[in-house]
Amino acid sequence: VIVDNALAVSKEDEENQLKEKRDRDKANFAKLNSLFQQLDADGSGELSMEELDDSFQDPEIKDKFALLDLSEEQAKELFNLLDVGGDGALSTDEFINGMTKVKQEPKSWDLLKCTTTLERLHMHFERHSEKVLTVLQNVGERGRPGSAGSAGSGPSP
C-alpha cells in the first residue's frame, strides 16, 4: 500500500511537472510571437535585418531583448545565424524556434549533432579538396610547354 501510494504521488508529480513545462512553453511561444509581430514592421510574416535594425530605435524593443539577455549586436548576430538559407529574412517559425533554442541549455544530443555534423563536413571537404587538387595538377601538367596536352607540342611542319 505504501509503495502504491508513493508511485501514485510520483506519477502525479510527473504529470504536474509536464503540465507546468507545457504552460511555460506556451507562454514563451506567445511572448516570442508577440515580439516577432512587433519587429515585423511591414506585416509580411518575415523579419528582415532592416526591420530588426530599425526596431532597436524603440526602447520597449531594446528592453525586451535585454530581458532575453541579448544586446543589439547579439540580436543581429543571432539573426545571421538563424538565417540559414541566407535569404535575408526570418519566418515566424525560424525566429521563434531559434530564440527558443538560444535560451535553452545545450543538451548532450545537441552537442552530438554538432560534432557529427562537423565531422561529416570535414570528411566531405577532405574528399573534395583531394579531387580539386588532382584536377588542378592535371590542368597544370597539360599547360606546360612540351607536355602532351599543351599547344605546339606536336610535330613541327
Side-chain angles (χ1 to χ4, degrees), residues 9-135:
V9 168
S10 176
K11 183 174 170 89
E12 265 184 58
D13 190 41
E14 285 177 5
E15 289 172 0
N16 287 336
Q17 288 177 2
L18 186 58
K19 183 187 179 318
E20 287 173 13
K21 182 184 179 326
R22 286 185 183 141
D23 290 346
R24 275 192 316 272
D25 289 349
K26 198 174 190 178
N28 286 335
F29 178 87
K31 287 177 185 175
L32 289 171
N33 189 46
S34 173
L35 176 59
F36 181 87
Q37 299 308 318
Q38 285 182 284
L39 297 172
D40 181 22
D42 66 3
S44 66
E46 291 190 328
L47 175 63
S48 69
M49 178 59 88
E50 183 180 341
E51 287 174 316
L52 179 64
D53 211 12
D54 292 346
S55 72
F56 276 95
Q57 303 306 311
D58 182 348
E60 182 185 347
I61 297 293
K62 279 186 179 182
D63 289 345
K64 286 186 178 189
F65 274 100
L67 287 172
L68 294 167
D69 291 323
L70 290 172
S71 68
E72 183 174 348
E73 254 181 52
Q74 290 170 320
K76 291 175 185 177
E77 187 176 349
L78 180 59
F79 179 98
N80 289 322
L81 288 171
L82 298 178
D83 184 20
V84 178
D87 62 355
L90 297 179
S91 69
T92 309
D93 288 342
E94 288 173 318
F95 178 81
I96 292 173
N97 290 335
M99 293 296 287
T100 301
K101 286 180 183 176
V102 164
K103 297 289 83 194
Q104 292 175 345
E105 291 292 322
K107 297 179 178 125
S108 300
W109 176 257
D110 298 321
L111 297 174
L112 177 63
K113 279 175 46 178
C114 287
T115 302
T116 303
T117 301
L118 285 173
E119 287 172 355
R120 287 181 181 157
L121 286 171
H122 179 74
M123 289 176 14
H124 183 73
F125 175 77
E126 289 291 319
R127 277 196 312 270
H128 287 287
S129 63
E130 289 173 13
K131 290 177 183 177
V132 168
L133 286 174
T134 302
V135 169

